[in-house]
Amino acid sequence: MDATNISPEPGTPPSPVEKASVWEDFLDIFYAPSKVFARRANGNFWIPLLLVTVLIAVLAYANRNIMRPMFDAEFARSTAAAMKANPSLTAAQMERGKAFAFDIAQYGSVVIVPLLVLFVGFVTWIGARFVDAKLSWNAALVVVAYSMVPRVVQQIFVSIEGLFVDPTSLTSRFSMGIGPGRFVDASTVNPFVGALCDRLDLFLLWGLVLIAIGVATIGRLPKAKAWAFGIGLWVVTALPGIWGAYRQL
C-alpha cells in the first residue's frame, strides 16, 4: 500500500482523474489505494459495496464447515458466561438459540456487511471533521466500502488454511486470525486482553489503514492528521469490544 504517499501537500493542484474499471480498482486497492480513492471520490459507493458483500457472503458460506468448530467453542464459552451472569438461564434455552446464531454466521454477511459499512462510514464521516478533512457522506461510504476488501482476503485465507489445519485445533475466534490473538488461550485470557487482540488482527488493521488513506486522499490531509485520524478511528471502533469485555468481568 502506498501509505508513504498518503496525501498530497496542502495547496497542490488536484491531478486529473484517471479512468479505470471496477476490477482495476479491486486490484489497485492492494498496492495503490490512494489512486483508487482519488478517482472514485465522487463515484457510486453501491458498486464496491455490493461486490464486497457478495464475495464475503459467498466465501463465508463456503467456509461454514471450517468455521463450525470455532463457532461451537465460542458459543460454549458465551453460554457459560451468560449462565453465570444470569443463573435463571438454562442450557436448553441457550441451545435453542444456537441454530439461529449459526444461521446468522453463515448467511448474515448479506446484511451485516452493508450495516457495518454504514456504521463505520458514519463514524468516518463525523471523524473527518475533527481533522478538518472535507469528506462528503458519499465519499465516506466509498472509502469504507473499498476498505472491506481485506475482509474478502481474510475469507480466502480461511478457505486455504482450512485445507491444512486440524478442525479440533480451532477452539476460538483467534484460531485463524493473524495477530497476537493467535497466541492466547481464549478460555483463560482476560476479557480486555481478548478485546485488544481482536483489534490487532492484520485484516482489521489493514482495513483501517485503507480508510485513513482514503480520508487523507479525498480530504487532502497532511500525513500527521491522517495518522491521527486512523488512530482515533481504531480507538472509537474498539469501544464496543471494550464495553463487552467490561460486562464479562
Side-chain angles (χ1 to χ4, degrees), residues 36-239:
V36 176
F37 295 128
R39 66 182 176 237
R40 298 301 178 192
N42 299 311
N44 188 342
F45 74 89
W46 284 107
I47 296 175
L49 175 58
L50 288 173
L51 280 173
V52 296
T53 299
V54 169
L55 289 171
I56 292 173
V58 169
L59 288 166
Y61 181 78
N63 290 335
R64 64 193 184 282
N65 292 328
I66 299 172
M67 302 298 288
R68 187 62 194 246
M70 296 166 57
F71 173 84
D72 289 341
E74 287 290 343
F75 191 86
R77 273 190 291 274
S78 63
T79 296
M83 293 176 65
K84 181 180 178 181
N86 186 358
S88 65
L89 289 175
T90 65
Q93 289 175 319
M94 298 298 295
E95 190 65 25
R96 281 196 291 270
K98 185 176 181 179
F100 176 73
F102 188 64
D103 285 342
I104 293 296
Q106 289 185 89
Y107 311 114
S109 299
V110 175
V111 175
I112 293 172
V113 171
L115 289 178
L116 183 61
V117 169
L118 287 173
F119 170 72
V120 179
F122 178 75
V123 174
T124 299
W125 181 58
I126 295 297
R129 281 149 176 73
F130 287 91
V131 290
D132 300 320
K134 295 181 180 179
L135 192 74
S136 69
W137 169 239
N138 181 81
L141 292 178
V142 167
V143 168
V144 176
Y146 278 107
S147 78
M148 296 296 290
V149 171
R151 302 296 182 104
V152 177
V153 179
Q154 183 179 32
Q155 289 294 333
I156 295 173
F157 174 78
V158 169
S159 299
I160 295 172
E161 190 171 9
L163 299 174
F164 302 100
V165 300
D166 179 0
T168 59
S169 68
L170 307 179
T171 57
S172 78
R173 65 188 184 278
F174 301 129
S175 298
M176 283 191 167
I178 300 181
R182 193 110 184 194
F183 306 100
V184 303
D185 183 348
S187 299
T188 58
V189 68
N190 180 281
F192 285 106
V193 175
L196 179 62
C197 288
D198 282 332
R199 305 306 301 170
L200 293 176
D201 181 77
L202 171 66
F203 297 106
L204 183 143
L205 293 175
W206 182 0
L208 292 178
V209 169
L210 286 178
I211 294 175
I213 293 174
V215 171
T217 301
I218 299 173
R220 306 186 66 77
L221 291 180
K223 291 180 183 178
K225 285 191 174 182
W227 288 115
F229 171 83
I231 293 170
L233 184 62
W234 183 87
V235 172
V236 170
T237 54
L239 292 178

